[in-house]
């Protein structure tokens, strides 16, 4: 697909500097760009790579000077470049309103205008799908579910009964929403399952990554707040209340009945024990284990997770332990105390 720099600038509402009529064949990053491509320069630290690149044009911030090749100036080059790639390479979505003949839609299910349902998808009794939503191949929507407008469920997503999704929710392949929480009581030497009779509520503009799981509540909802983004391979336990605009990176695990505030960030492989509270805007570093409540506006790391300033001092001291042990051994030998 060949388009001009000016056309690309119109797509992203950018300012053209240089030859706007130059034709562009494809969009690639600076490391992969070839002659005839457009690339993007994400800040001054990449300016030298842009000057050395064979790319025909670039999307760049105002700080990047013109070097004889066309520039499209925008405030956020990364997002603008992503939009250009989407235009140049995007595949057509499922035709709006098309229900594949192999899909199984219960007669009591209600589908809004323009809902698309892919091959072998299943929509259960009394479920409702909002206008313009897309259910890809193999999606299973249980009984009594509610899905808002413009939501996208990628292949083989499973929604157990009574799940509630807001508008513009995106759930990636193989994610499972609403499975039973992990709750047992020991009676007479046996693990007896506590019935999981609640549901899951996912608010507007949430995105959940591939193979992630969100368990239903025991009696009420497990809730994911508006705008929260959950990476692949994340587990959210039953009764959790995840706040608005959280970021949960890969392999995070949040145990049951924990609560997070707004704009909380959990880096990869963070573990949060059950029945804890994490305050607004807290950042938890990768591989940290949270074993107690964390106040708002904290940065914590380590196991158990503690304020990062404290843990950094601890780690500096740990580096000196071998030297201190050697010095202590010499002192004990000098005093005739041995090495016991």
């Amino acid at each position: 697909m060949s388009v001009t720099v000016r056309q690309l600038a119109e797509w992203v509402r950018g300012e053209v500097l240089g030859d706007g009529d130059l034709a562009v064949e494809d969009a690639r990053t600076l490391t992969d760009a070839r002659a005839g491509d457009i690339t993007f320069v994400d800040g001054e630290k990449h300016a030298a790579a842009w000057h050395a690149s064979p790319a025909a044009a670039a999307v760049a911030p105002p700080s990047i000077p013109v070097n004889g090749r066309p520039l499209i100036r925008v405030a956020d080059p990364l997002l603008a470049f992503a939009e250009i790639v989407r235009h140049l390479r995007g595949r057509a979505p499922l035709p709006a309103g098309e229900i594949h003949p192999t899909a199984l839609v219960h007669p009591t299910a209600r589908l809004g205008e323009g809902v698309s349902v892919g091959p072998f998808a299943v929509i259960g009794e009394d479920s409702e799908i909002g206008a313009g939503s897309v259910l890809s191949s193999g999606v299973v929507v249980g009984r009594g579910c509610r899905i808002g407008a413009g939501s996208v469920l990628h292949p083989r997503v499973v929604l157990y009964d009574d799940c509630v999704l807001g508008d513009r929710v995106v759930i990636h392949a193989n994610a499972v929403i609403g499975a039973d929480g992990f709750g047992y009581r020991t009676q007479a030497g046996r693990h007896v399952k506590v019935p999981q009779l609640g549901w899951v509520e996912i608010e507007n503009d949430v995105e959940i990554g591939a193979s992630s799981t969100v368990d239903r509540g025991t009696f009420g909802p497990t809730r994911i707040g508006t705008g929260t983004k959950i990476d692949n391979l994340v587990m959210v336990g039953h009764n959790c209340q995840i706040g608005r605009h959280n970021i949960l990176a890969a392999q995070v695990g949040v145990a049951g009945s924990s609560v997070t505030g707004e704009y909380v960030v959990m880096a990869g492989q963070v573990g949060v024990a059950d029945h804890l509270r994490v305050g607004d805007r807290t950042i938890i570093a990768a591989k940290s284990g949270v074993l107690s409540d964390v106040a708002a506006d904290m940065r914590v790391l380590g196991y158990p997770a503690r304020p990062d300033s404290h843990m950094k001092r601890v780690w500096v001291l740990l580096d000196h332990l071998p030297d201190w042990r050697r010095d202590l051994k010499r002192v004990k030998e000098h005093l005739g105390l041995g090495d016991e």
Side-chain angles (χ1 to χ4, degrees):
M1 179 180 182
S2 178
V3 295
T4 66
V5 171
R6 184 170 289 106
Q7 287 174 301
L8 297 178
E10 290 172 357
W11 290 348
V12 298
R13 294 182 290 278
E15 176 190 8
V16 177
L17 299 178
D19 183 5
D21 295 323
L22 181 71
V24 170
E25 299 295 332
D26 203 350
R28 293 185 176 90
T29 62
L30 274 171
T31 55
D32 297 326
R34 306 170 185 170
D37 291 343
I38 189 167
T39 189
F40 78 103
V41 186
D42 196 15
E44 295 182 17
K45 63 182 179 180
H46 299 293
W50 156 236
H51 294 314
S53 169
V59 181
S63 59
I64 300 299
V66 176
N67 66 355
R69 289 172 287 176
L71 288 179
I72 299 175
R73 279 192 172 164
V74 294
D76 192 327
L78 175 60
L79 291 183
F81 186 73
E83 186 65 22
I84 287 171
V85 172
R86 187 177 293 115
H87 275 280
L88 290 176
R89 302 185 196 168
R91 296 178 180 175
L94 287 171
E98 180 175 290
I99 311 298
H100 195 275
T102 62
L104 180 60
V105 181
H106 195 277
T108 62
R110 299 175 297 282
L111 275 59
E113 182 179 356
V115 169
S116 302
V117 183
F120 301 104
V122 177
I123 302 176
E125 177 183 355
D126 194 36
S127 285
E128 182 176 344
I129 315 298
S133 288
V134 176
L135 277 59
S136 301
S137 59
V139 166
V140 176
V141 176
R143 297 174 298 177
C145 293
R146 302 289 181 269
I147 299 176
S151 292
V152 178
L153 275 57
H154 287 279
R156 295 176 298 282
V157 165
V158 176
L159 302 186
Y160 279 58
D161 296 348
D162 302 316
C163 289
V164 179
L165 276 59
D167 298 336
R168 300 173 301 280
V169 171
V170 177
I171 305 181
H172 290 275
N174 297 306
V176 178
I177 310 299
D180 281 0
F182 193 68
Y184 295 87
R185 293 293 180 91
T186 303
Q187 296 181 357
R190 297 174 58 246
H191 298 306
V192 178
K193 187 179 182 71
V194 176
Q196 303 294 299
L197 306 175
W199 63 96
V200 172
E201 294 181 4
I202 297 175
E203 297 180 354
N204 296 343
D205 300 305
V206 168
E207 185 162 358
I208 296 177
S211 299
S212 290
T213 62
V214 180
D215 290 346
R216 66 178 49 246
T218 306
F219 300 114
T222 299
R223 184 175 289 110
I224 309 295
T226 297
T228 284
K229 311 300 180 185
I230 296 177
D231 199 359
N232 303 330
L233 299 169
V234 170
M235 184 206 169
V236 177
H238 61 184
N239 304 322
C240 285
Q241 306 294 305
I242 304 299
R244 298 168 65 245
H245 305 293
N246 282 203
I247 296 287
L248 276 59
Q251 299 182 5
V252 161
V254 184
S257 301
S258 286
V259 178
T260 68
E262 298 184 352
Y263 296 97
V264 170
V265 176
M266 299 186 193
Q269 297 186 332
V270 163
V272 178
D274 58 290
H275 293 83
L276 298 184
R277 303 186 70 90
V278 178
D280 295 345
R281 298 172 299 279
T282 286
I283 298 175
I284 306 173
K287 295 181 177 290
S288 296
V290 180
L291 304 183
S292 58
D293 290 350
V294 182
D297 298 303
M298 295 288 289
R299 297 175 67 96
V300 299
L301 55 85
Y303 185 90
R306 295 176 180 174
D308 63 345
S309 57
H310 171 81
M311 288 305 298
K312 288 174 181 176
R313 290 196 299 271
V314 168
W315 288 342
V316 168
L317 294 176
L318 284 173
D319 285 342
H320 294 288
L321 278 181
D323 296 333
W324 292 342
R325 182 183 183 280
R326 185 177 60 251
D327 293 343
L328 178 60
K329 183 178 179 180
R330 289 172 179 169
V331 169
K332 292 175 73 174
E333 289 173 349
H334 179 74
L335 296 176
L337 298 177
D339 195 28
E340 293 80 7

